Amino acid sequence: MRHLLDTRTLSRADALSILDVAEDMADTQLREVKKLPTLRGKTVVNLFFEDSTRTRISFEAAAKRLSADVINFSAKGSSVSKGESLKDTAQTLAAIGADAVVIRHGASGAPHTLAASGWIDAGILNAGDGTHEHPTQALLDAFTMRRRIHGAGASRGRDLDGVHVVIVGDILHSRVARSNVWLLSSLGAQVTLVAPPTLLPVGIEGWPASVSYDLDAVLAENPDVVMMLRIQGERMHDAFFPNSREYSRRWGLDDERLARLTGDSIVMHPGPMNRGLEISSGAADSPRSTVLEQVSSGVSVRMAALYLLLSGEREDQR
Amino acid sequence: MTTPTPTTSKDTAVQNETYLIRGARLSSGETTDLILENGVIAELGNGLTRAGATTVDAEGLIALPGLVDLHTHLREPGFEHSETVLTGTRAAASGGYTTVFAMANTSPVADTAGVVEQELSLGEQAGYARVQPIGAVTVGLAGERLAELGAMAESRAKVRVFSDDGLCVSDPQLMRRALEYVKAFDGVIAQHAQDPKLTPGAQMNEGSVSAELGLTGWPAMAEESIIARDVLIAEHVGSRLHICHLSTAGSVEVIRWAKARGINVTAEVTPHHLLLTEELVRSYDARYKVNPPLRRAEDVLALREALADGTIDIVATDHAPHPAEAKECAWAEAANGMVGLESALSVVHESMVETGLIGWADVERVMSRTPAQIGRISGQGLAIAVGNPAEITLYDPAARSDFAVADLRGRSINSPYLGTSLPGRVQATFHRGYATVLGGELVPLEKIQELVASHA
């Protein structure tokens, strides 16, 4: 694997291989000494143009447990024009000798631009770009689902065939939703997107997912997974919805809706949560909730991605 | 080798330069020789001879009236790192253009007689093509108060086309007033049709590709609704309206409807909207970022058909130079626009002529005659006939090559065609009777400057 830029072009075989390596990584995390020597001497740069403490520390933990040297580069607030700083920063990191760059950027496609630019030779790992994709989030979500559904010891090699996943919230602006739609469908899951019509992109018809405006009707289908997305209250200023109270009433996972979930169905959230808005505390803290498992899965999946990116590169050079 | 006899005055030497063009094919299909003398077409016919004339072998070449671009961004004054009047007109000449209409979004904005006269003078000094300034509709392009349209019309620049291009005159009452006011001097408002309230932060065409790429959409209806509104205003007040860079199939339908109703509206399409689609945006390569954005394949086909059937009147380049750093960045941070003067004729050749939709007589109409008429400019866009000004382009339709940076003659290289195979090549351009391009190469600046001095 040269780069990990999106799940749209990630093959099913590559996705399964990342998930299986992540299982190996997860096993090592149960040991008393969690650190592996695998990436000793490699330099991983966390290049964050947007603030994201959660994602950054997850990548940092992943790289450090593989013994890579980690440089955290927060480009936010830089006074140079943003375009110049992407190019200049990339060239600077190349000169420093970065082997992998984990990039978070507010502009959709920035990781693609970096990978195609020739400014830097390192492997590029997309840690969230604008409203485009967040591939490691989708991979950790799939990893978490696979473990809940098949069991931690029996997940290797398994896909998500026939699993019904409902994703609820601001699909229009969500990179998490996009990455999940492509990845989950390629793993065989049946995806339903639920949102107010204003928060669904025009042109969604071609996506491998069904679309509904009615959360209650979709919950009545007894889905296996209900994934709630963070909603930004400020969206109401652009008339995407009247106010957060109405949003919460129609599209929030409250205690009453939680009680209607059946069997072993699970509740997911990529964090950070707005408790009381898109998800109630009761739902967030219930046994169905995988919120904290998602966080620990994140470290395993990111270890796997870094390992495959950097060891693959080493093979290329031989 | 004999030394040419020195002439008595430099003026005479330059002005008497005579060209004998042999064997050019006219858009009618007829083959003819041409003699260009004293700035006009002196003779047409076969087997012409003229002592002392410079002979140009035009066998296999098509002779077109010099091309006229109604929509060029020359960037001077204010943005000389992107383009200047000199570099932009060199790009124009190399693309076969003899006239460019310079858009008003310079700095300062071309919203006063002083600025448009300055642009006119810069064009005269450059000498590679005629520069006809376009005046801003509103002061500073701010969309609030009318600029001094009358003063610009009466100035030495004789402005007839007014546009806030880059920005839409979105206030309907202001648009109505502007359309009414320019009737006093037979002016036209060239509208950049984009409802700003429907396109905040827009990055690309809104549809399945934008949904996937996570780029904010620029919906087709934001263009179509402004065109629909403006043709109704133009009808109501009986004014002349021109629509810049029409880009959607729906816009074509609105224009078709308006023309059928007898509304005095004309429309332009850019070469890039005739050839390129939004699929290119998947690369996130900012060379493909342009406003209005690249649209769907269905739109491209509708635009080609509309240009062929006359619903769209002209091709205009929207030549928009930008420095490298404005494109070497993330998509959302990149500037809108592409250079187009050097490639326009080849792109029209590829998209319209090679596809059998139009012939060379139509190319002459949509790239020279009609743009000159819409812009109310004299001495341009006229047929190749004895006595008409010697504004001529010689084009080799048989050539084909990969478009390269070396084909770009302006200051900026933000072309979407680099590395793309395109047909044809401009072999010569004649402006005011002298060559600005000869043998496929720009005539050197010193030579042009000499000619300019002699005409002054």
Side-chain angles (χ1 to χ4, degrees), chain A residues 8 82-84 86-87 105 107-110 112-113 116 119 129-133 172 178 182 201-207, chain B residues 200 206-217 219 282-286 324-334:
Chain A
R8 176 73 179 79
K82 285 176 189 167
E84 285 171 346
L86 181 59
K87 179 179 180 178
H105 201 289
S108 299
H112 283 73
T113 301
W119 301 327
D129 60 328
T131 55
H132 177 226
E133 286 227 30
L172 177 63
R178 280 176 182 77
W182 309 123
V202 166
I204 201 172
E205 307 79 42
W207 290 16
Chain B
E206 182 166 62
S208 55
V209 181
S210 66
E212 195 179 313
L213 297 184
L215 290 171
T216 306
R282 290 184 186 279
S283 65
Y284 289 104
D285 183 337
E325 62 270 21
K327 291 289 188 179
E328 280 185 335
C329 52
W331 181 275
E333 295 161 354

Side-chain angles (χ1 to χ4, degrees), chain B residues 135-217:
Chain B
V137 177
T138 66
V139 175
L141 307 176
E144 287 162 5
R145 290 181 293 125
L146 286 185
E148 289 180 8
L149 309 180
M152 289 189 275
E154 275 177 29
S155 75
R156 206 167 65 79
K158 295 191 177 60
V159 176
R160 291 294 176 273
V161 182
F162 298 90
S163 182
D164 276 2
D165 179 68
L167 297 166
C168 183
V169 181
S170 66
D171 181 328
Q173 184 73 316
L174 193 60
M175 186 62 180
R176 174 200 166 137
R177 297 291 183 233
L179 280 165
E180 284 181 312
Y181 194 79
V182 299
K183 286 201 287 186
F185 32 84
D186 194 25
V188 63
I189 304 294
Q191 175 69 297
H192 171 116
Q194 173 183 10
D195 189 332
K197 293 280 193 184
L198 288 171
T199 51
Q203 296 293 325
M204 71 169 295
N205 180 51
E206 182 166 62
S208 55
V209 181
S210 66
E212 195 179 313
L213 297 184
L215 290 171
T216 306

